[in-house]
Amino acid sequence: MIQSPTGAATTVSLSRLLLRQTPPCLVSSLSPHSAAPYNHSHPLRLLRFSLSHSSSPNRNVAAMNVVSDRNVSHEPGSKQALISLSDKKNLAFVGNGLQELGYTIVSTGGTASALESAGVAVTKVEQLTQFPEMLDGRVKTLHPNIHGGILARRDQKHHIEALNTHGIGTFDVVVVNLYPFYDKVTSTGGVEFEDGIENIDIGGPAMIRAAAKNHKDVLVVVDSEDYPDLLEFLKGNQNDDKFRLKLAWKAFQHVASYDSAVSEWLWKQSVGDKFPPSLTVPLLLKSSLRYGENPHQKAAFYVDKRLSEVNAGGIATSIQHHGKEMSYNNYLDADAAWNCVSEFRNPTCVVVKHTNPCGVASRDDILEAYRLAVKADPVSAFGGIVAFNVEVDEVLAKEIREFRSPTDGETRMFYEIVVAPSYTEKGLEILRGKSKTLRILEAKKNEPGKLSLRQVGGGWLAQDSDDLTPNDIQFSVVSEKAPQESELRDAEFAWLCVKHVKSNAIVIAKDNCMLGMGSGQPNRVESLRIAIRKAGGAIKGAALASDAFFPFAWKDAVEEACENEIGVIAEPGGSIRDKDAIDCCNNKFTYELKSVFDITWLHE
């Protein structure tokens, strides 16, 4: 029984007043905030008990002090850390490290058990909250005794007074990571909706955000990679605001990325439309780059961490087996080469220079395909990127290493990057011997159906990825002459190639081999003339593909194509002068009869 200030007898429950299990020798003392010694006439605010650890069956209170409302609820100089982790990597390291530095460790559920197994003394959260976990673990840390201790500003007298009034201790360190929502919803076979919902963390983000907001007084850690730096910082008893601020930034970024995954998943479950009214794209730094597109520009490379990109392939997730670090332009060129070569079913080689394919060839024999792709434009191929859609084995690696330029038959071909879906051990060994700087990338084919994003000043453009192949397209003959089967195949091949050439884009191809291409010109005639010049004498009867319709025909691109004996033209159509293009090809008196295709997208 305890006498209350009013004189009435009051029964006090030990379990409701015990806020922390303290060592048996520890007796509460006056807080440094107290201005005067304890006065029995002072209103009672808090009773603190120290439990006896004697073997006596009657474990009575060993000591009891009354603390005024100006006292903090933990001993002067005591330090407290809160640890609650789903990913328990290096948990014992950080737990033992904090304990050795004199921190009292407060923890939850499985984390507490793991710490105890590692020999770390733990105070469980429910001992502070005096409330058990409930609602299947949904509620355990959402309590004033936790969040008050995290959020209280130490430089605000009324904050400390509020803690004293309610018997709440402060936290100096918060080490928390979140339920594995990202891994759950991207796991093989997917996840049931209810299971996904239960893996949305609530208490974790609340603690992280609270600690990050109060980073001036609380160190917050969300990444096990930061444990060594945390302990070194605490050992030095430093007060580096930049270190605290960096941890706070990382904490908020961690929660933001987590929330973006939840948002993306819920949108897909509820609506599924590819273009939500708002969109958050989480990006993870993969590497800092030497410079950007030009030497005076700083640059970095980030991996897209949207759920839709998980296991979806692409150059961003490629493995680099050898060579110098990738540059800004390397990534652009490698992406262009890989996207192009991945289009083809038969063994294919693609050579890219400045994001444009300058050589493409498909053959049953990949060695022949490689030679033909280089031969299409050996000047551009030198110093370019070479990509294959088949495994690079010992034989192919030797050919890549030793092949001489078709221009002089002597100069060994030099490449910045080789990209392929896989390599044999011997193939890798041989390629590594070609050059110390040659970048060797292993990549996975892009999955279809991605959302393509492109930045413009002040905004982003979003569109479906261009996944269409000739199988998704209906080629309609609009000229009088019907194409032969070989010409149709050439047109399909040229169309796959022109898809990856920058506008105004023209590709001339024959027998599953690019003969010439023109790109990036301000008018289509100039692109055509470049392609014709590169194709040379092999142009007769070849297929020509244009990525857009021809606005003019006579004395323009179509007429010049006919004059150079192009056998078939594939173009989307849609010009108000389409009839001129058809008439130009149908003019039997001036030119040999040509075939013209209009391209119709089946999914239009």
Side-chain angles (χ1 to χ4, degrees), residues 475-483 569 571 573 578-579 581-583 585-586 594-599:
F475 289 79
S476 301
V477 180
V478 292
S479 59
E480 293 177 1
K481 179 186 175 183
I569 298 173
E571 52 100 36
D578 274 353
K579 190 174 184 301
I582 297 168
D583 289 344
C585 290
N586 286 338
K594 311 299 175 188
S595 299
V596 179
F597 290 104
D598 266 353
I599 308 301

Side-chain angles (χ1 to χ4, degrees), residues 266-431:
L266 286 174
W267 175 260
K268 185 177 180 180
Q269 303 300 311
S270 60
V271 181
D273 183 80
K274 190 166 287 187
F275 303 100
S278 63
L279 181 65
T280 302
V281 180
L283 302 176
L284 180 66
L285 180 67
K286 183 173 183 179
S287 62
S288 296
L289 305 178
R290 288 173 295 159
Y291 54 84
E293 190 172 359
N294 297 293
H296 64 276
Q297 294 173 274
K298 293 183 178 179
F301 181 59
Y302 291 82
V303 175
D304 190 332
K305 298 298 290 184
R306 284 176 294 164
L307 298 178
S308 59
E309 290 290 338
V310 175
N311 298 321
I315 213 68
T317 57
S318 62
I319 300 169
Q320 183 171 352
H321 290 290
H322 180 70
K324 290 171 60 177
E325 64 184 41
M326 295 281 285
S327 71
Y328 183 93
N329 291 326
N330 287 157
Y331 275 113
L332 291 176
D333 289 341
D335 183 60
W338 182 242
N339 290 341
C340 184
V341 80
S342 296
E343 293 274 14
F344 297 90
R345 297 179 181 178
N346 295 328
T348 301
C349 174
V350 171
V351 183
V352 160
K353 192 68 167 289
H354 297 305
T355 72
N356 277 299
C358 56
V360 183
S362 293
R363 288 290 186 276
D364 292 336
D365 181 0
I366 192 62
L367 296 181
E368 184 183 0
Y370 165 62
R371 297 177 193 127
L372 289 171
V374 175
K375 185 179 179 182
D377 188 350
V379 175
S380 297
F382 194 88
I385 285 78
V386 59
F388 302 90
N389 63 353
V390 297
E391 183 174 71
V392 175
D393 60 13
E394 177 181 357
V395 176
L396 179 54
K398 284 182 178 178
E399 186 71 7
I400 298 169
R401 178 172 173 170
E402 300 298 334
F403 189 64
R404 310 291 164 151
S405 172
T407 55
D408 60 15
E410 295 181 1
T411 305
R412 183 179 292 160
M413 290 300 296
F414 162 74
Y415 304 113
E416 290 281 355
I417 303 170
V418 175
V419 193
S422 61
Y423 300 82
T424 64
E425 289 187 16
K426 192 64 177 177
L428 268 178
E429 179 185 336
I430 292 169
L431 280 183

Side-chain angles (χ1 to χ4, degrees), residues 149-204:
I150 297 174
L151 283 166
R153 291 179 58 180
R154 316 303 196 261
D155 61 351
Q156 297 294 316
K157 180 180 177 182
H158 64 286
H159 280 207
I160 299 303
E161 289 176 342
L163 294 188
N164 293 339
T165 299
H166 298 287
I168 299 173
T170 56
F171 288 102
D172 307 286
V173 178
V174 170
V175 182
V176 174
N177 57 42
L178 306 176
Y179 292 169
F181 176 83
Y182 192 93
D183 294 335
K184 280 285 185 181
V185 299
T186 59
S187 59
T188 303
V191 65
E192 294 293 331
F193 181 77
E194 288 302 322
D195 193 18
I197 291 294
E198 289 308 313
N199 275 278
I200 299 174
D201 205 324
I202 302 300

Side-chain angles (χ1 to χ4, degrees), residues 97-274:
L98 288 169
Q99 183 173 259
E100 289 170 4
L101 290 170
Y103 283 81
T104 299
I105 309 298
V106 178
S107 191
T108 60
T111 305
S113 299
L115 284 167
E116 288 173 335
S117 297
V120 180
V122 176
T123 297
K124 295 184 178 179
V125 162
E126 51 264 36
Q127 292 175 261
L128 268 65
T129 63
Q130 290 302 297
F131 210 92
E133 287 188 17
M134 62 182 296
L135 306 181
D136 299 317
R138 284 189 170 198
V139 177
K140 50 180 175 281
T141 58
L142 297 171
H143 193 282
N145 284 2
I146 301 299
H147 285 273
I150 297 174
L151 283 166
R153 291 179 58 180
R154 316 303 196 261
D155 61 351
Q156 297 294 316
K157 180 180 177 182
H158 64 286
H159 280 207
I160 299 303
E161 289 176 342
L163 294 188
N164 293 339
T165 299
H166 298 287
I168 299 173
T170 56
F171 288 102
D172 307 286
V173 178
V174 170
V175 182
V176 174
N177 57 42
L178 306 176
Y179 292 169
F181 176 83
Y182 192 93
D183 294 335
K184 280 285 185 181
V185 299
T186 59
S187 59
T188 303
V191 65
E192 294 293 331
F193 181 77
E194 288 302 322
D195 193 18
I197 291 294
E198 289 308 313
N199 275 278
I200 299 174
D201 205 324
I202 302 300
M207 289 187 289
I208 291 171
R209 289 171 59 86
K213 177 175 181 176
N214 202 26
H215 63 271
K216 183 179 178 181
D217 295 314
V218 183
L219 290 161
V220 57
V221 180
V222 296
D223 184 354
S224 61
E225 296 296 319
D226 292 324
Y227 293 168
D229 288 342
L230 169 70
L231 296 179
E232 286 301 313
F233 179 85
L234 294 173
K235 286 176 185 177
N237 196 26
Q238 305 173 62
N239 192 23
D240 185 349
D241 290 340
K242 288 187 177 180
F243 180 71
R244 290 177 174 275
L245 194 60
K246 180 181 177 181
L247 290 180
W249 162 81
K250 195 168 187 176
F252 275 114
Q253 183 61 48
H254 181 67
V255 174
S257 295
Y258 189 88
D259 287 343
S260 72
V262 174
S263 173
E264 181 184 353
W265 182 73
L266 286 174
W267 175 260
K268 185 177 180 180
Q269 303 300 311
S270 60
V271 181
D273 183 80
K274 190 166 287 187

Side-chain angles (χ1 to χ4, degrees), residues 56-130:
S56 170
N58 183 13
R59 303 181 65 170
N60 293 326
V61 175
M64 178 180 76
N65 269 12
V66 181
V67 183
S68 76
D69 60 348
R70 293 178 62 80
N71 294 139
V72 293
S73 66
H74 64 301
E75 306 312 315
S78 66
K79 299 174 291 188
Q80 197 168 218
L82 174 62
I83 305 178
S84 180
L85 301 173
S86 290
D87 180 359
K88 297 176 176 58
K89 180 182 178 182
N90 295 330
L91 171 59
F93 171 79
V94 72
N96 279 298
L98 288 169
Q99 183 173 259
E100 289 170 4
L101 290 170
Y103 283 81
T104 299
I105 309 298
V106 178
S107 191
T108 60
T111 305
S113 299
L115 284 167
E116 288 173 335
S117 297
V120 180
V122 176
T123 297
K124 295 184 178 179
V125 162
E126 51 264 36
Q127 292 175 261
L128 268 65
T129 63
Q130 290 302 297

